[in-house]
Amino acid sequence: MTATRARAATAVAAVAALALTLTGCGAEVGSADSGKSGGASAKGSGHYPVTVENCGQKVTYDKAPRRVVTNDVGIAEIMFALGLEDHMAGYVMPDYKDSREDVPWKDGYKKVKWLSKKQINKELVLDAKADMVFAGWNYGFGEGDGFTPAGLKKLGIGSYVLTESCRNGSSAKSRGVMPPLEALYTDLTTLGKIFDVEDRAAELVAGFKKQVADAQAEIPKDGHRPSVFLYDSGQDKPFTSGAFAGPQDIITKAGGTNVMGDLKDTWATVSWESVVDRDPEVILINNYGSPNAEQKKKFLMSYGPLANVKAVKNHRVFVLDYVDLVESPRNPSAIAALAGYLKEVRAG
């Protein structure tokens, strides 16, 4: 999780930035009857034009985008899970070194070109001849470097914004407009409409909901819900997750309580004092890059102010990979994994 992604957006141009005329992928903002019926795929399937809503903005597509560039691992895997590799020009993501061999959509990594391990930019997507960029606010899009949906619109390139990252309110200082798993299901369903793979999207959503329900069925209805603190990074101040980031649903649906669940944002910086005051029973580490999970655990276990926190005293630390914790098709399996660990905590 880069500093660029981590910083909360400060600009107030969210609505203007998202009100796109998606010329690159044959779509435009407006009502369902405002799209022009065009392209062989539109006439052949009778599916187009189709109107969807993305982060509060309605967009009409005349045809499915053909050269999508995605930013970050979870976003690429949403496309892979939907079987949309043939609609992709490539993906951008750091090498997080997480496992890619045990996911059902692992072949997507072999079929689609890895364009860069560095930050996504206009030059890169122009070189890829992209007709749409699928990224999120602080997951690629950012006012600071000028890589925004509005900027791409001027280049004739459309955008789809990750729902987890939707800006919350006109101030654009925080993100999140719905519960995290609902954001995942929303993106799968919406992209299913855009790319005319609605049956596949519905199948995925139903399967994920069953996976979550199965994990929850093992949780005692009247049992104790261990308190959990998500530790992403930071030593002077910890970077964590609030009500609208993936860990909120991962923790709560796994049978725990997110100690920062009252933070009305996705990812944000808090104080160590607030962590000590809330005294979590478990610390959930977000594993990516450097320092790695073991180094983060070593820091937490040796950091003086945390010495009397239950999770540290009892050495209750659980690790999930970055892609498990941001919006991605791996969220349901992360719930199942954490549920198993919290079951052991309750028993111990």
Side-chain angles (χ1 to χ4, degrees):
M1 187 175 306
T2 64
T4 299
R5 175 184 168 272
R7 290 192 296 268
T10 57
V12 297
V15 174
L18 291 173
L20 306 178
T21 303
L22 299 178
T23 55
C25 52
E28 60 187 33
V29 173
S31 60
D33 61 1
S34 67
K36 295 175 284 185
S37 179
S41 61
K43 295 177 181 178
S45 70
H47 178 76
Y48 300 95
V50 61
T51 298
V52 300
E53 185 172 311
N54 178 218
C55 289
Q57 297 299 309
K58 289 187 176 181
V59 187
T60 297
Y61 287 80
D62 295 330
K63 57 185 177 181
R66 295 297 309 177
R67 295 191 61 81
V68 180
V69 171
T70 62
N71 184 72
D72 216 350
V73 58
I75 294 174
E77 291 192 1
I78 288 173
M79 294 289 287
F80 297 161
L82 286 166
L84 296 175
E85 294 91 343
D86 290 344
H87 289 264
M88 296 177 67
Y91 61 88
V92 177
M93 69 175 71
D95 190 355
Y96 292 121
K97 301 187 185 302
D98 57 289
S99 173
R100 294 172 185 162
E101 293 303 316
D102 57 355
V103 293
W105 44 88
K106 62 182 180 181
D107 288 346
Y109 288 106
K110 301 173 184 176
K111 295 177 181 177
V112 181
K113 187 176 181 180
W114 193 345
L115 297 174
S116 176
K117 299 179 182 180
K118 299 180 180 179
Q119 188 167 323
I120 193 170
N121 56 53
K122 292 178 183 178
E123 292 74 22
L124 184 150
V125 298
L126 284 170
D127 287 345
K129 297 180 173 60
D131 57 4
M132 187 172 90
V133 173
F134 181 9
W137 287 110
N138 295 44
Y139 290 82
F141 293 137
E143 301 289 353
D145 53 19
F147 191 80
T148 65
L152 291 172
K153 172 190 170 184
K154 294 177 181 178
L155 301 174
I157 301 172
S159 301
Y160 185 89
V161 180
L162 185 75
T163 296
E164 181 186 81
S165 78
C166 292
R167 287 170 159 175
N168 185 354
S170 60
S171 68
K173 290 183 178 179
S174 61
R175 296 172 294 162
V177 294
M178 65 179 67
L181 273 183
E182 186 180 335
L184 172 63
Y185 301 153
T186 294
D187 282 334
L188 289 169
T189 302
T190 304
L191 290 164
K193 293 177 181 177
I194 293 172
F195 291 94
D196 196 11
V197 289
E198 290 178 89
D199 289 347
R200 174 62 176 161
E203 180 184 356
L204 284 170
V205 171
F208 290 152
K209 287 183 176 180
K210 183 179 185 304
Q211 190 174 12
V212 172
D214 288 347
Q216 290 190 292
E218 300 296 319
I219 301 170
K221 295 295 183 283
D222 300 321
H224 174 62
R225 298 181 67 86
S227 56
V228 182
F229 171 65
L230 184 285
Y231 178 64
D232 177 284
S233 58
Q235 294 192 357
D236 292 338
K237 291 183 178 181
F239 193 63
T240 187
S241 62
F244 296 116
Q248 171 69 14
D249 271 347
I250 291 169
I251 292 167
T252 56
K253 287 180 168 54
T257 301
N258 178 12
V259 297
M260 296 296 171
D262 59 340
L263 182 64
K264 302 304 180 184
D265 202 345
T266 53
W267 301 85
T269 299
V270 296
S271 68
W272 284 118
E273 289 79 8
S274 66
V275 179
V276 173
D277 288 344
R278 299 177 189 208
D279 195 16
E281 297 165 79
V282 175
I283 294 177
L284 174 59
I285 289 178
N286 185 5
N287 184 34
Y288 65 95
S290 180
N292 60 30
E294 191 57 38
Q295 291 168 325
K296 289 178 182 179
K297 182 177 179 180
K298 184 177 180 180
F299 163 72
L300 293 167
M301 291 298 156
S302 62
Y303 187 54
L306 298 179
N308 292 318
V309 168
K310 291 186 182 75
V312 173
K313 286 196 299 184
N314 296 314
H315 295 271
R316 287 176 173 167
V317 176
F318 191 69
V319 177
L320 286 171
D321 284 333
Y322 172 88
V323 65
D324 296 318
L325 294 165
V326 295
E327 184 190 320
S328 82
R330 299 200 204 188
N331 295 156
S333 60
I335 290 170
L338 182 59
Y341 180 76
L342 295 183
K343 182 178 180 179
E344 295 176 6
V345 171
R346 285 191 297 270

